[in-house]
Structures are given as C-alpha cells and as structure tokens.
Amino acid sequence: DNSTGFTTASSLVSDRWSSSLKGGNIVLSNNNLDATSQNTTFDWDSVYGEKSYAIDDGGIYEWKIQVISVDDDSSNSYEMLIGVGFITEDEYNSSYNTNLHIHSGNTGFGYIQQSGKKTSTVGAQSFSSAYGLNDNITVRLDLNNNRLSFGKNNGDITVSHSSLPSESGEIYRLAASIGDDGDKFRIISHTTNP
C-alpha cells in the first residue's frame, strides 16, 4: 500500500497489453508491456489490456503509461490515444476496435497525444495539454462513480469523462491507439483499489 490507498499490483498480476486483442500491425515486446505499430505510413491500430473490469463490480483501476517514442505524422491530428475501451459482456472480444482508433463507434474514451484533447461523442474536445516523449500518463478508471481521469507526469489527475456508460454487463479495459512505427507506449504500473 502507499499513501493514496492503492495497492500496487505485483509483476505476476500486473496488466499487460493483450496479444489477442490488438490490431494486425501492433507489435508487442518487453513481456507485452511495450506496444508499437509496424505501419510505415499512418494507419490506426489499437491494443487493449489483458485485464477487464465489469461495471457491476465497481472499483478504481489505475495505470501509468510511458511514452517511449513519438513520430509526429503531419497527416493526423491525434497521433496516439491512451484511454479505455468497453464492450458489453454479451459481445465478443472481436467487438473491440483493433483496426481503428479506440473511439471509433463510441466504444472507447481517450486522451489525444498531439493536441491534449479528449475524445467525446461529438469529436475531440478541450481537456489538457499535449504529451510527448518520456511523459508518464496516468489513466484512472473509477467504476464506482463511472468516470475516467488522466494525469501527466506528476501533475494533478483530472476527470476527463464524468459519465461513462454504466449499464449492467459493460466491461472496460485499458486501451491505446497507435498510428505508425515511430509511436510507442509502455505500461509501467497498474494499481487497483476495488
């Protein structure tokens, strides 16, 4: 335990990127803690965490993600997204947007790397500042209060989405969308306080 009340997950139970819930161009390494794309031109692919969390169970889940590399592709205003994706328990894992960005079809919520905006049902909206190389992004999923928050480096963690879909049977996972081979995320910690 630490002063925030969160328990740090041990390396045996820490969340990792899923080798089965990823786009065809996503490349995982470092024991599935690192995710990049092998696209040489910009094209979306997404990857999801191994662990899933049901809205019915509640709890607070937090990940720290480090930006290992960024290749600024001028043809895209997002570049990378970090956040969460969701499906209902009666849907299959194939319902996740693995070959699109996590927000496609309103099945995910994210923090946009290049602009610092957040995704929403009406497009990108103002949220925070952009993030880049070596920045550490905190993703906090609060299923007790149906909200998603993000923090950058050691700054405050701010609510980005205050009313996540919360119907019985919905399941959430960590998610990231990556545009090309110069973009890379690393999961550096995963904590839980259900």
Side-chain angles (χ1 to χ4, degrees), residues 94-169:
S94 62
S95 298
Y96 285 106
N97 291 326
T98 58
N99 293 309
L100 299 167
H101 61 72
I102 60 176
H103 178 63
S104 293
N106 294 321
T107 58
F109 303 92
Y111 178 18
I112 301 167
Q113 179 271 324
Q114 200 165 40
S115 66
K117 293 181 178 182
K118 64 179 181 175
T119 61
S120 74
T121 56
V122 294
Q125 294 184 325
S126 293
F127 172 60
S128 186
S129 61
Y131 54 93
L133 182 64
N134 297 322
D135 281 338
N136 292 320
I137 306 303
T138 299
V139 179
R140 182 179 289 166
L141 175 63
D142 180 349
L143 295 181
N144 295 331
N145 297 295
N146 307 322
R147 62 186 178 202
L148 178 64
S149 305
F150 295 96
K152 182 172 133 181
N153 299 320
N154 293 322
D156 292 337
I157 297 173
T158 305
V159 173
S160 60
H161 300 83
S162 58
S163 56
L164 293 176
S166 59
E167 293 181 24
S168 181

Side-chain angles (χ1 to χ4, degrees), residues 64-76:
K64 291 208 187 302
I65 309 297
Q66 184 176 35
V67 180
I68 301 299
S69 62
V70 179
D71 178 23
D72 185 7
D73 187 303
S74 61
S75 68
N76 190 286

